[in-house]
Amino acid sequence: MSRGRHQRRRDNVDRWAGTMLTELHARSAGPTDIVSQTLASNRLGVPSVVFFGVAGAAPLTVIIGAISTIYAVVGNTALPLVYLVVAAILSLFTVGFVAMSRHIVNSGAFYSYISHGLGRELGISAALVALAAYSMMQAGLFGLFGVVASSVLGAVGLNASWVACALVAWAVVAVLGMLWVDLSGRVLGVLLIAEIAVVLIYDLVMVANPADGGVSFATFNPSQLMTPEVVAMMVLAIGGFTGFEATVVLSEEAKDPKRTITRATHIALLITGLMCALSAWAMSVGAGTDRIAAEAKEQTTNLVFSLVGPHVPDIMITLGYVLFMTSIFAALLAFHAAVSRYQFALGRERILPSRWGYTHPRTGAPVVGSITQSVLSLGVIIGYWLAGADPLVQLFGYLTSVGGLGVLILMWGTSAAVIAFFLRHPHRENAWRSKISPIISFFLLSVILFATVVGLGDILGLADDSIFNWAFSAGYGVLAVLGALWAVAVRYSRPEAYASIGRGVDNRPVVDFFEPPPPHSHSVAFQHHPPFEPAPYEQAPYEQAAYEQQFGPFPPFDQVGKPQ
């Protein structure tokens, strides 16, 4: 079957990059350095990776803060069903997302997948968006932690400002970010098990004490999905899932990553979705379906505690506040791990300076990336404190909402990348994983992304004439353009670095190609077959002779396409 001129050009570029990577890999083989360019492998099992994913989503923080806010602002009681619908949409996204993770093991995650699917230029665009989004998510959470921790300490008679509490959390996260990743996983595991247990107890108490004298399932009525407020609720609800996708960032440190990451990502999404939907329903039962919106407006973030307070000992309320604080801390730790590993992936592939691409020789932690993120977040904390800004609204509210928009953009782009990747590399996954699910998720995420961009000002509570109604979205566009221009500059100034973009820990292409012609040539075409099967050379004899004159003897058929 004939192939278009532009597709042959893309294939020639990939073959040229593949040969360059093979040569670089051969030249770099030798004595190991005292500082490694790989993360600590074989450290994390499924439970630890799940803890990172669920911690990023911070379910207790969502239940106490986001669910109450959505009930209060939107006033629609379909929220439990909306969380299930959003979980279903993200499940469709996850099918293609983790299918790609089985073929690309890279701590760059979104950046790597987009570079493989949509090209290296858009891959660097995604990298800049990811760094900005996850950095803002983490920095914003310090504002919420400071406020909550200050309130908890005030309840026991200790006065501490929000910035002092935030700096203590910052110091602990900075230290843990430099240590063994499995140590952070164990810390998250302890915190999350306690957090989930308290959430389930609270839900059970609210359902056991219904305000209307009986348990109602009216909030799960599908007809409510036809109301105009549902799209706004989905936009707000999807923020409660942000962080579950960070499991793939840990792929290089997981045991048997192709299975571990797949299972952990699905489990993290399932836990987050079910907890949010169950708690939203339990709150409507405890307050009454007709009164939940009014109660949420009156109680705000104290809604859950006001509903369970009359039915449990005071120690359970105190424990809930403490775990609310530790839930935020767990999310801080998870986002710190994600940002530092993105920086490591870019440093290893020489897009950032090479020192970012090394890890600690004992702990395997991405040292420079971890330090960089700690310094950046410290600057944000101090800057907001010196400016006298509201840590809850202007630090937490603004930065996490804008960061969530960035993560949504990355999911949308990755859905497109999954479609493109499997169109070029068919037969690697079945039609459901490679085509149907990614296409459906791309369409649905496009709708949600459009609604988020249009309604971002309302989410942030901005005036209609505020410049920030569009400035944040435009900022991501500027980052994307800068990333693409950066990749073009690297292509011509450092072609070996361009060839490495998104290619991961072993510095090799996904598909092993023949020795290629230069990227500008279209004289040789190849027919790709399923991975690691011999691919016949289909050119005329005179073309083979010209090929061998330029590149040397043609490889034997029994060695073509096999892994090195």
Side-chain angles (χ1 to χ4, degrees):
M1 183 174 67
S2 62
R3 310 180 71 185
R5 178 166 59 95
H6 296 293
Q7 181 61 49
R8 292 200 303 271
R9 178 183 299 163
R10 172 62 184 272
D11 289 345
N12 284 340
V13 170
D14 284 343
R15 296 187 192 102
W16 160 76
T19 296
M20 181 166 288
L21 289 175
T22 303
E23 293 175 354
L24 289 172
H25 186 69
R27 290 203 301 266
S28 64
T32 57
D33 199 345
I34 190 172
V35 182
S36 174
Q37 282 189 289
T38 59
L39 296 163
S41 61
N42 205 35
R43 289 275 192 180
L44 302 174
V46 173
S48 294
V49 179
V50 169
F51 292 149
F52 274 97
V54 179
L60 185 58
T61 302
V62 172
I63 291 164
I64 293 177
I67 292 178
S68 301
T69 301
I70 296 173
Y71 270 133
V73 172
V74 181
N76 192 305
T77 60
L79 188 55
L81 188 58
V82 167
Y83 270 110
L84 292 180
V85 171
V86 170
I89 293 172
L90 295 180
S91 294
L92 291 172
F93 162 77
T94 302
V95 169
F97 183 53
V98 298
M100 204 163 178
S101 75
R102 286 192 284 270
H103 305 283
I104 303 169
V105 177
N106 192 332
S107 60
F110 287 135
Y111 143 71
S112 179
Y113 297 172
I114 291 176
S115 71
H116 278 280
L118 302 179
R120 290 170 170 84
E121 287 77 13
L122 290 181
I124 299 302
S125 298
L128 295 189
V129 171
L131 287 176
Y134 284 113
S135 294
M136 284 191 286
M137 292 288 289
Q138 199 221 15
L141 283 168
F142 279 112
L144 179 61
F145 181 90
V147 172
V148 173
S150 178
S151 299
V152 171
L153 293 176
V156 296
L158 298 176
N159 293 323
S161 65
W162 76 266
V163 69
C165 297
L167 289 175
V168 171
W170 170 86
V172 177
V173 170
V175 171
L176 287 174
M178 298 285 289
L179 299 179
W180 297 270
V181 67
D182 47 329
L183 175 61
S184 295
R186 286 193 290 269
V187 172
L188 292 177
V190 172
L191 296 178
L192 282 171
I193 289 172
E195 177 182 338
I196 292 172
V198 167
V199 168
L200 293 177
I201 291 172
Y202 282 2
D203 290 345
L204 182 61
V205 169
M206 287 185 285
V207 172
N209 297 275
D212 296 330
V215 176
S216 172
F217 295 91
T219 51
F220 289 106
N221 187 346
S223 64
Q224 296 183 101
L225 294 179
M226 300 298 106
T227 57
E229 299 91 356
V230 166
V231 174
M233 295 173 73
M234 291 174 65
V235 168
L236 294 171
I238 202 168
F241 292 85
T242 303
F244 86 93
E245 76 291 340
T247 53
V248 180
V249 177
L250 303 169
S251 57
E252 294 180 28
E253 296 155 282
K255 302 173 184 177
D256 190 8
K258 294 182 179 181
R259 293 184 179 181
T260 296
I261 299 302
T262 298
R263 294 173 182 173
T265 307
H266 283 297
I267 293 171
L269 176 60
L270 181 65
I271 291 175
T272 302
L274 289 179
M275 287 184 64
C276 291
L278 177 63
S279 296
W281 169 69
M283 291 162 67
S284 71
V285 172
T289 304
D290 297 334
R291 294 187 296 277
I292 180 62
E295 288 287 334
K297 288 181 181 179
E298 180 180 348
Q299 300 292 337
T300 62
T301 57
N302 289 317
L303 176 61
V304 172
F305 300 116
S306 68
L307 294 175
V308 302
H311 311 289
V312 299
D314 291 342
I315 186 63
M316 287 300 299
I317 302 299
T318 302
L319 182 61
Y321 278 111
V322 171
L323 288 175
F324 182 24
M325 180 176 65
T326 60
S327 172
I328 305 166
F329 176 82
L332 286 168
L333 191 56
F335 282 119
H336 182 94
V339 177
S340 60
R341 281 154 180 79
Y342 266 104
Q343 293 183 24
F344 165 79
L346 292 171
R348 180 176 56 192
E349 295 167 7
R350 303 300 187 266
I351 303 304
L352 288 176
S354 60
R355 66 184 60 189
W356 265 262
Y358 290 96
T359 55
H360 193 282
R362 292 187 59 192
T363 66
V367 179
V368 180
S370 183
I371 293 174
T372 301
Q373 179 58 22
S374 295
V375 171
L376 288 174
S377 56
L378 177 62
V380 172
I381 294 169
I382 297 299
Y384 270 78
W385 174 61
L386 292 176
D390 185 339
L392 199 57
V393 175
Q394 295 169 310
L395 179 52
F396 168 67
Y398 283 15
L399 292 194
T400 56
S401 296
V402 176
L405 171 62
V407 175
L408 185 56
I409 292 171
L410 292 171
M411 290 182 183
W412 174 76
T414 301
S415 291
V418 170
I419 298 168
F421 177 82
F422 286 116
L423 283 176
R424 286 204 308 275
H425 304 302
H427 313 301
R428 288 173 167 253
E429 298 285 349
N430 61 36
W432 168 251
R433 297 191 188 113
S434 62
K435 297 180 180 66
I436 299 173
S437 179
I439 290 172
I440 296 173
S441 67
F442 177 75
F443 170 75
L444 295 174
L445 287 174
S446 297
V447 174
I448 295 176
L449 177 60
F450 176 78
T452 303
V453 171
V454 171
L456 185 62
D458 293 332
I459 295 173
L460 299 177
L462 301 174
D464 292 340
D465 58 349
S466 173
I467 189 175
F468 294 106
N469 282 302
W470 55 267
F472 293 122
S473 302
Y476 281 124
V478 171
L479 285 176
V481 171
L482 290 177
L485 293 176
W486 187 2
V488 171
V490 170
R491 177 176 182 174
Y492 290 101
S493 62
R494 292 183 292 127
E496 72 286 351
Y498 179 84
S500 298
I501 291 175
R503 268 51 192 174
V505 61
D506 55 0
N507 232 17
R508 292 180 57 183
V510 173
V511 179
D512 293 301
F513 296 105
F514 286 80
E515 186 76 19
H520 61 275
S521 173
H522 310 299
S523 61
V524 181
F526 297 92
Q527 176 69 35
H528 296 304
H529 282 241
F532 307 144
E533 292 185 12
Y537 185 75
E538 298 180 345
Q539 304 306 307
Y542 72 90
E543 290 181 316
Q544 180 171 348
Y547 179 94
E548 292 182 345
Q549 182 178 4
Q550 184 175 1
F551 297 104
F554 194 76
F557 286 139
D558 62 349
Q559 296 180 13
V560 173
K562 292 185 178 180
Q564 304 295 321

